[in-house]
Amino acid sequence: MIRVSHLSKRFGAHAVVQDVSFELAAGETLVLLGPSGCGKTTLLKMLNRLVEPDSGTVEINGLNVFEQRPETLRRGIGYVIQQVGLLPHYTVAENVAVVPRLLGHAPAAIAARTTALLTRLHLPPERYAAQLPHQLSGGQQQRVGLARALAADPPIILLDEPFGALDPLTRASIRREFRELEELRSKTVVLVTHDVTEAFELADRILLLDAGQVQQLGTPRELLFQPANDFVRRFFAAERLALQLRTLTLGDVFTEEAATRSAGPIPLPFTTATTVHDALETLTDSDAGASTSFSVAELMAAFGQALQREEEAWKR
Ligand SMILES: Nc1ncnc2c1ncn2[C@@H]1O[C@H](COP(=O)(O)OP(=O)(O)OP(=O)(O)O)[C@@H](O)[C@H]1O
Protein backbone atom coordinates (compact mmCIF):
# COMPACT_ATOMS: atom_id res chain seq x y z
CA MET A 1 0.00 0.00 0.00
CA ILE A 2 2.90 2.37 0.74
CA ARG A 3 6.19 2.19 -1.12
CA VAL A 4 8.96 4.58 -0.07
CA SER A 5 12.08 4.59 -2.26
CA HIS A 6 15.38 6.33 -1.55
CA LEU A 7 13.82 9.22 0.34
CA SER A 8 16.25 11.95 1.44
CA LYS A 9 15.84 15.36 3.04
CA ARG A 10 18.30 18.02 4.16
CA PHE A 11 17.69 21.14 6.16
CA GLY A 12 20.66 23.32 5.19
CA ALA A 13 23.79 21.25 5.68
CA HIS A 14 21.99 18.81 7.96
CA ALA A 15 21.05 15.53 6.24
CA VAL A 16 17.96 14.69 8.29
CA VAL A 17 16.68 11.70 6.33
CA GLN A 18 19.14 9.73 4.23
CA ASP A 19 18.17 7.27 1.54
CA VAL A 20 15.29 5.59 3.38
CA SER A 21 13.30 2.87 1.63
CA PHE A 22 10.53 0.57 2.86
CA GLU A 23 7.32 -1.05 1.77
CA LEU A 24 4.22 -1.46 3.82
CA ALA A 25 1.38 -3.88 3.09
CA ALA A 26 -2.26 -2.98 3.67
CA GLY A 27 -3.24 -3.49 7.30
CA GLU A 28 0.34 -3.42 8.59
CA THR A 29 1.54 -1.21 11.45
CA LEU A 30 5.02 0.23 11.01
CA VAL A 31 6.65 2.05 13.91
CA LEU A 32 9.34 4.64 13.17
CA LEU A 33 11.63 4.45 16.19
CA GLY A 34 14.84 6.19 17.14
CA PRO A 35 16.46 8.78 19.38
CA SER A 36 15.31 12.39 19.49
CA GLY A 37 16.21 14.28 16.33
CA CYS A 38 16.90 11.18 14.20
CA GLY A 39 14.41 12.25 11.53
CA LYS A 40 11.26 10.25 12.41
CA THR A 41 8.84 13.17 12.16
CA THR A 42 10.42 14.47 8.97
CA LEU A 43 10.12 11.01 7.41
CA LEU A 44 6.47 10.72 8.48
CA LYS A 45 5.63 14.17 7.10
CA MET A 46 7.07 13.26 3.72
CA LEU A 47 4.37 10.58 3.43
CA ASN A 48 1.56 13.16 3.38
CA ARG A 49 3.62 15.95 1.84
CA LEU A 50 3.80 18.18 4.88
CA VAL A 51 7.51 18.07 4.06
CA GLU A 52 8.76 17.79 0.47
CA PRO A 53 11.79 15.50 0.02
CA ASP A 54 14.94 16.47 -1.86
CA SER A 55 14.96 13.13 -3.63
CA GLY A 56 13.19 9.80 -3.66
CA THR A 57 9.58 8.78 -4.17
CA VAL A 58 6.53 7.82 -2.15
CA GLU A 59 3.83 5.73 -3.79
CA ILE A 60 0.49 5.02 -2.22
CA ASN A 61 -1.53 2.34 -3.97
CA GLY A 62 0.82 2.63 -6.91
CA LEU A 63 0.30 6.41 -7.30
CA ASN A 64 3.17 8.83 -6.83
CA VAL A 65 2.09 11.20 -4.05
CA PHE A 66 4.12 14.03 -5.55
CA GLU A 67 1.85 14.00 -8.58
CA GLN A 68 -1.27 14.54 -6.44
CA ARG A 69 -2.60 17.73 -4.92
CA PRO A 70 -1.46 17.83 -1.27
CA GLU A 71 -4.98 18.70 -0.02
CA THR A 72 -6.57 15.76 -1.83
CA LEU A 73 -3.82 13.46 -0.62
CA ARG A 74 -4.16 14.55 3.00
CA ARG A 75 -7.91 14.09 3.09
CA GLY A 76 -7.33 10.43 2.29
CA ILE A 77 -4.78 9.95 5.08
CA GLY A 78 -5.60 10.27 8.77
CA TYR A 79 -3.03 12.24 10.74
CA VAL A 80 -2.62 12.49 14.52
CA ILE A 81 0.02 14.61 16.25
CA GLN A 82 1.22 14.85 19.81
CA GLN A 83 -0.14 18.36 20.30
CA VAL A 84 -3.48 16.96 19.10
CA GLY A 85 -4.24 20.20 17.23
CA LEU A 86 -7.97 20.31 17.91
CA LEU A 87 -9.71 23.49 16.77
CA PRO A 88 -10.31 25.32 20.08
CA HIS A 89 -13.63 26.98 19.17
CA TYR A 90 -15.15 23.86 17.65
CA THR A 91 -16.96 21.33 19.80
CA VAL A 92 -15.74 17.75 20.03
CA ALA A 93 -18.33 16.66 17.44
CA GLU A 94 -17.40 19.50 15.08
CA ASN A 95 -13.72 18.64 15.39
CA VAL A 96 -14.40 15.02 14.51
CA ALA A 97 -16.51 16.09 11.52
CA VAL A 98 -13.94 18.36 9.86
CA VAL A 99 -12.66 16.01 7.17
CA PRO A 100 -15.99 14.29 6.35
CA ARG A 101 -17.46 17.80 5.86
CA LEU A 102 -14.64 18.79 3.54
CA LEU A 103 -15.29 15.60 1.62
CA GLY A 104 -18.99 16.53 1.33
CA HIS A 105 -20.40 13.57 3.25
CA ALA A 106 -24.11 13.78 4.12
CA PRO A 107 -24.81 15.44 7.51
CA ALA A 108 -26.79 12.45 8.79
CA ALA A 109 -23.96 10.08 7.90
CA ILE A 110 -21.42 12.37 9.60
CA ALA A 111 -23.53 12.54 12.77
CA ALA A 112 -23.91 8.76 12.90
CA ARG A 113 -20.20 8.23 12.34
CA THR A 114 -19.24 10.77 15.01
CA THR A 115 -21.55 9.18 17.56
CA ALA A 116 -20.21 5.71 16.81
CA LEU A 117 -16.56 6.78 17.01
CA LEU A 118 -16.93 8.76 20.23
CA THR A 119 -18.72 5.83 21.83
CA ARG A 120 -16.05 3.41 20.76
CA LEU A 121 -13.31 5.69 22.08
CA HIS A 122 -15.00 5.87 25.50
CA LEU A 123 -16.26 9.43 25.12
CA PRO A 124 -20.05 9.01 25.51
CA PRO A 125 -21.41 11.50 22.96
CA GLU A 126 -24.28 12.67 25.17
CA ARG A 127 -21.67 13.91 27.59
CA TYR A 128 -18.78 14.98 25.36
CA ALA A 129 -20.03 15.80 21.84
CA ALA A 130 -20.93 19.40 22.71
CA GLN A 131 -17.88 20.13 24.87
CA LEU A 132 -14.96 22.29 23.78
CA PRO A 133 -11.41 20.85 23.71
CA HIS A 134 -10.25 22.86 26.73
CA GLN A 135 -12.93 21.15 28.85
CA LEU A 136 -11.28 17.76 28.26
CA SER A 137 -8.28 16.08 29.86
CA GLY A 138 -5.16 15.43 27.80
CA GLY A 139 -6.08 11.78 27.32
CA GLN A 140 -9.59 12.69 26.21
CA GLN A 141 -8.22 15.20 23.73
CA GLN A 142 -5.97 12.50 22.35
CA ARG A 143 -8.99 10.28 21.84
CA VAL A 144 -10.81 13.07 19.99
CA GLY A 145 -7.71 13.51 17.83
CA LEU A 146 -7.83 9.83 16.98
CA ALA A 147 -11.59 9.95 16.29
CA ARG A 148 -10.98 12.88 13.95
CA ALA A 149 -8.29 10.99 12.07
CA LEU A 150 -10.60 7.98 11.70
CA ALA A 151 -13.75 9.96 10.85
CA ALA A 152 -13.57 9.75 7.07
CA ASP A 153 -12.45 6.12 7.29
CA PRO A 154 -9.11 6.62 5.49
CA PRO A 155 -7.19 3.42 4.74
CA ILE A 156 -3.95 4.98 6.05
CA ILE A 157 -3.32 6.61 9.43
CA LEU A 158 -0.13 8.47 10.36
CA LEU A 159 0.51 9.11 14.04
CA ASP A 160 3.27 11.27 15.46
CA GLU A 161 3.93 10.53 19.14
CA PRO A 162 0.16 10.29 19.68
CA PHE A 163 0.52 9.36 23.35
CA GLY A 164 3.58 11.51 24.02
CA ALA A 165 1.98 14.15 26.23
CA LEU A 166 0.29 11.70 28.60
CA ASP A 167 1.35 10.39 31.99
CA PRO A 168 2.63 6.78 31.95
CA LEU A 169 -0.58 5.22 33.33
CA THR A 170 -2.94 7.00 30.95
CA ARG A 171 -0.48 6.30 28.20
CA ALA A 172 -0.47 2.55 28.85
CA SER A 173 -4.26 2.36 29.04
CA ILE A 174 -4.86 4.42 25.88
CA ARG A 175 -2.28 2.30 24.12
CA ARG A 176 -4.20 -0.82 25.10
CA GLU A 177 -7.45 0.67 23.82
CA PHE A 178 -5.68 1.69 20.65
CA ARG A 179 -4.43 -1.85 20.10
CA GLU A 180 -7.88 -3.29 20.60
CA LEU A 181 -9.73 -0.75 18.48
CA GLU A 182 -11.61 -2.62 15.80
CA GLU A 183 -11.49 0.49 13.59
CA LEU A 184 -7.73 0.27 13.34
CA ARG A 185 -7.39 -3.44 12.62
CA SER A 186 -7.78 -3.02 8.88
CA LYS A 187 -5.82 0.25 8.65
CA THR A 188 -2.31 0.72 7.41
CA VAL A 189 -0.62 2.61 10.23
CA VAL A 190 2.69 4.46 10.47
CA LEU A 191 3.45 5.57 14.02
CA VAL A 192 6.35 7.65 15.32
CA THR A 193 7.65 7.10 18.83
CA HIS A 194 10.89 7.18 20.77
CA ASP A 195 9.39 4.82 23.36
CA VAL A 196 10.75 1.33 22.94
CA THR A 197 7.96 -0.41 24.88
CA GLU A 198 5.34 1.39 22.85
CA ALA A 199 7.05 0.32 19.64
CA PHE A 200 7.13 -3.32 20.73
CA GLU A 201 3.51 -3.26 21.83
CA LEU A 202 2.11 -1.78 18.65
CA ALA A 203 4.38 -2.65 15.75
CA ASP A 204 4.14 -5.39 13.19
CA ARG A 205 7.49 -4.08 12.02
CA ILE A 206 9.86 -1.45 13.38
CA LEU A 207 12.06 0.87 11.35
CA LEU A 208 14.88 1.95 13.64
CA LEU A 209 16.59 5.17 12.58
CA ASP A 210 19.72 6.91 13.74
CA ALA A 211 20.90 10.21 12.30
CA GLY A 212 18.48 9.88 9.41
CA GLN A 213 19.68 6.44 8.37
CA VAL A 214 17.88 3.13 8.65
CA GLN A 215 19.68 0.93 11.16
CA GLN A 216 17.27 -1.98 10.85
CA LEU A 217 13.83 -2.74 9.50
CA GLY A 218 12.18 -5.85 10.87
CA THR A 219 9.76 -7.42 13.31
CA PRO A 220 10.28 -6.63 17.00
CA ARG A 221 11.54 -10.18 17.39
CA GLU A 222 14.13 -9.73 14.65
CA LEU A 223 15.43 -6.48 16.13
CA LEU A 224 15.67 -8.05 19.56
CA PHE A 225 17.20 -11.42 18.70
CA GLN A 226 19.02 -10.56 15.48
CA PRO A 227 20.25 -6.97 15.79
CA ALA A 228 21.83 -5.77 12.54
CA ASN A 229 24.57 -3.76 14.24
CA ASP A 230 25.87 -2.38 17.51
CA PHE A 231 23.54 0.61 17.49
CA VAL A 232 20.50 -1.69 17.40
CA ARG A 233 21.92 -3.85 20.17
CA ARG A 234 22.69 -0.84 22.37
CA PHE A 235 19.34 0.82 21.67
CA PHE A 236 17.46 -2.09 23.26
CA ALA A 237 20.05 -3.11 25.86
CA ALA A 238 18.55 -1.34 28.88
CA GLU A 239 15.11 -2.87 28.35
CA ARG A 240 16.12 -6.16 26.87
CA LEU A 241 14.50 -8.45 29.45
CA ALA A 242 11.24 -6.48 29.51
CA LEU A 243 11.11 -6.61 25.71
CA GLN A 244 11.83 -10.33 25.64
CA LEU A 245 8.92 -10.85 28.04
CA ARG A 246 6.68 -8.87 25.70
CA THR A 247 7.91 -10.61 22.58
CA LEU A 248 7.86 -14.30 23.49
CA THR A 249 4.44 -15.88 23.78
CA LEU A 250 3.14 -18.90 25.68
CA GLY A 251 3.18 -20.66 22.33
CA ASP A 252 6.94 -20.07 22.10
CA VAL A 253 7.60 -20.95 25.70
CA PHE A 254 5.54 -24.09 26.07
CA THR A 255 5.82 -25.51 22.56
CA GLU A 256 7.38 -28.88 23.21
CA GLU A 257 6.13 -29.18 26.73
CA ALA A 258 2.51 -28.34 26.01
CA ALA A 259 2.23 -31.19 23.55
CA THR A 260 3.28 -33.74 26.12
CA ARG A 261 1.37 -32.32 29.07
CA SER A 262 -1.42 -34.44 30.38
CA ALA A 263 -3.21 -31.23 31.36
CA GLY A 264 -3.52 -30.41 27.69
CA PRO A 265 -2.44 -27.29 25.88
CA ILE A 266 -2.24 -23.72 27.22
CA PRO A 267 -4.96 -23.30 29.88
CA LEU A 268 -7.57 -20.55 29.81
CA PRO A 269 -7.60 -17.55 30.10
CA PHE A 270 -4.42 -17.78 28.06
CA THR A 271 -3.83 -18.62 24.43
CA THR A 272 -0.66 -19.48 22.56
CA ALA A 273 -0.51 -15.80 21.52
CA THR A 274 -0.53 -14.45 25.10
CA THR A 275 2.82 -12.82 25.80
CA VAL A 276 4.84 -14.02 28.78
CA HIS A 277 4.52 -10.48 30.13
CA ASP A 278 0.71 -10.56 30.05
CA ALA A 279 0.59 -14.08 31.49
CA LEU A 280 2.83 -13.01 34.39
CA GLU A 281 0.57 -10.03 35.03
CA THR A 282 -2.46 -12.30 35.23
CA LEU A 283 -0.71 -14.91 37.38
CA THR A 284 0.49 -12.34 39.89
CA ASP A 285 -2.82 -10.49 40.01
CA SER A 286 -4.58 -12.21 42.90
CA ASP A 287 -7.92 -10.61 41.94
CA ALA A 288 -7.93 -12.29 38.57
CA GLY A 289 -8.18 -15.68 40.31
CA ALA A 290 -6.85 -17.46 37.27
CA SER A 291 -6.70 -21.19 37.77
CA THR A 292 -3.86 -22.29 35.60
CA SER A 293 -1.90 -25.46 35.35
CA PHE A 294 1.44 -23.67 35.67
CA SER A 295 2.99 -21.43 38.29
CA VAL A 296 5.05 -18.26 37.95
CA ALA A 297 8.17 -20.30 38.67
CA GLU A 298 7.33 -22.84 35.95
CA LEU A 299 6.60 -20.06 33.51
CA MET A 300 9.90 -18.30 34.24
CA ALA A 301 11.84 -21.54 33.89
CA ALA A 302 10.16 -22.26 30.55
CA PHE A 303 10.79 -18.65 29.48
CA GLY A 304 14.51 -19.05 30.25
CA GLN A 305 14.67 -22.18 28.11
CA ALA A 306 12.75 -20.51 25.30
CA LEU A 307 15.21 -17.60 25.32
CA GLN A 308 18.08 -20.01 24.94
CA ARG A 309 16.34 -21.81 22.08
CA GLU A 310 15.61 -18.48 20.38
CA GLU A 311 19.19 -17.27 20.65
CA GLU A 312 20.56 -20.60 19.43
CA ALA A 313 18.17 -20.53 16.47
CA TRP A 314 19.27 -17.04 15.37
CA LYS A 315 22.94 -17.99 15.66
CA ARG A 316 22.52 -20.74 13.12
N1 LIG B 1 11.78 22.79 9.23
C1 LIG B 1 12.99 22.50 9.71
N2 LIG B 1 14.04 23.33 9.49
C2 LIG B 1 15.27 23.03 9.94
N3 LIG B 1 15.57 21.91 10.62
C3 LIG B 1 14.59 21.05 10.88
C4 LIG B 1 13.24 21.29 10.43
N4 LIG B 1 12.48 20.26 10.83
C5 LIG B 1 13.30 19.41 11.49
N5 LIG B 1 14.56 19.87 11.52
C6 LIG B 1 15.73 19.20 12.14
O1 LIG B 1 15.79 17.89 11.62
C7 LIG B 1 16.20 16.96 12.61
C8 LIG B 1 15.19 15.85 12.68
O2 LIG B 1 13.96 16.34 13.16
P1 LIG B 1 12.70 15.39 13.36
O3 LIG B 1 11.64 16.21 13.97
O4 LIG B 1 12.41 14.69 12.09
O5 LIG B 1 13.29 14.34 14.41
P2 LIG B 1 12.53 13.31 15.33
O6 LIG B 1 13.29 12.04 15.21
O7 LIG B 1 11.09 13.27 15.00
O8 LIG B 1 12.79 13.95 16.75
P3 LIG B 1 11.87 13.97 18.08
O9 LIG B 1 11.74 12.56 18.55
O10 LIG B 1 12.71 14.81 19.01
O11 LIG B 1 10.59 14.60 17.69
C9 LIG B 1 16.32 17.75 13.89
O12 LIG B 1 17.69 18.02 14.10
C10 LIG B 1 15.56 19.03 13.62
O13 LIG B 1 16.11 20.09 14.32
Side-chain angles (χ1 to χ4, degrees), residues 11 14 16 34-43 160-161 192 194:
F11 289 113
H14 186 179
V16 173
S36 183
C38 71
K40 306 180 290 292
T41 296
T42 306
L43 177 56
D160 194 350
E161 296 269 6
V192 165
H194 61 265

Side-chain angles (χ1 to χ4, degrees), residues 12-315:
H14 186 179
V16 173
V17 171
Q18 301 183 53
D19 196 24
V20 170
S21 301
F22 63 85
E23 286 181 19
L24 203 53
E28 242 192 311
T29 296
L30 178 73
V31 170
L32 307 181
L33 178 69
S36 183
C38 71
K40 306 180 290 292
T41 296
T42 306
L43 177 56
L44 188 78
K45 285 182 172 171
M46 288 195 278
L47 303 183
N48 66 356
R49 295 193 62 183
L50 285 171
V51 169
E52 299 286 344
D54 298 329
S55 56
T57 57
V58 176
E59 281 173 44
I60 291 183
N61 283 330
L63 297 176
N64 184 341
V65 301
F66 304 113
E67 288 166 5
Q68 298 169 45
R69 288 184 49 218
E71 303 75 35
T72 317
L73 176 75
R74 276 178 221 140
R75 280 176 207 162
I77 302 179
Y79 184 49
V80 182
I81 54 173
Q82 178 176 342
Q83 304 79 5
V84 191
L86 298 178
L87 300 164
H89 305 298
Y90 277 29
T91 65
V92 165
E94 286 165 350
N95 266 287
V96 173
V98 166
V99 176
R101 273 207 191 126
L102 284 171
L103 292 172
H105 293 185
I110 296 177
R113 175 84 178 148
T114 304
T115 302
L117 273 173
L118 290 178
T119 306
R120 215 159 309 149
L121 286 160
H122 306 289
L123 293 165
E126 60 282 5
R127 175 145 173 226
Y128 292 104
Q131 296 214 313
L132 291 170
H134 75 87
Q135 296 173 297
L136 306 180
S137 72
Q140 290 166 338
Q141 290 184 27
Q142 287 288 355
R143 293 196 179 99
V144 178
L146 190 55
R148 182 179 55 179
L150 290 166
D153 203 18
I156 298 175
I157 307 271
L158 309 180
L159 304 116
D160 194 350
E161 296 269 6
F163 318 116
L166 306 175
D167 65 87
L169 271 183
T170 313
R171 196 179 167 113
S173 80
I174 292 201
R175 213 154 63 200
R176 193 163 310 128
E177 285 169 24
F178 178 86
R179 230 176 23 183
E180 287 163 7
L181 199 63
E182 196 51 48
E183 281 283 333
L184 278 170
R185 293 258 159 86
S186 58
K187 305 280 182 207
T188 308
V189 176
V190 184
L191 182 145
V192 165
T193 184
H194 61 265
D195 182 324
V196 167
T197 310
E198 190 160 297
F200 269 68
E201 240 177 66
L202 301 176
D204 293 317
R205 285 187 299 151
I206 294 174
L207 187 137
L208 180 61
L209 285 167
D210 183 40
Q213 292 176 321
V214 178
Q215 301 300 310
Q216 191 164 358
L217 170 61
T219 60
R221 192 180 282 233
E222 282 165 352
L223 271 69
L224 196 57
F225 291 107
Q226 202 181 29
N229 58 37
D230 252 8
F231 175 85
V232 182
R233 197 170 294 116
R234 275 187 280 116
F235 196 79
F236 298 117
E239 285 163 89
R240 193 167 172 77
L241 175 62
L243 296 174
Q244 288 167 338
L245 289 167
R246 282 181 193 279
T247 306
L248 293 187
T249 64
L250 295 187
D252 298 320
V253 164
F254 286 128
T255 38
E256 295 144 38
E257 229 180 297
T260 55
R261 268 171 178 241
S262 53
I266 313 290
L268 288 171
F270 304 128
T271 70
T272 50
T274 308
T275 63
V276 176
H277 171 273
D278 289 353
L280 277 174
E281 248 182 15
T282 307
L283 286 175
T284 52
D285 176 1
S286 50
D287 293 344
S291 64
T292 59
S293 60
F294 58 84
S295 65
V296 170
E298 281 175 305
L299 176 56
M300 288 315 290
F303 170 69
Q305 287 163 7
L307 272 186
Q308 268 178 5
R309 280 200 300 274
E310 194 76 21
E311 288 182 356
E312 293 295 318
W314 285 116
K315 265 185 224 148

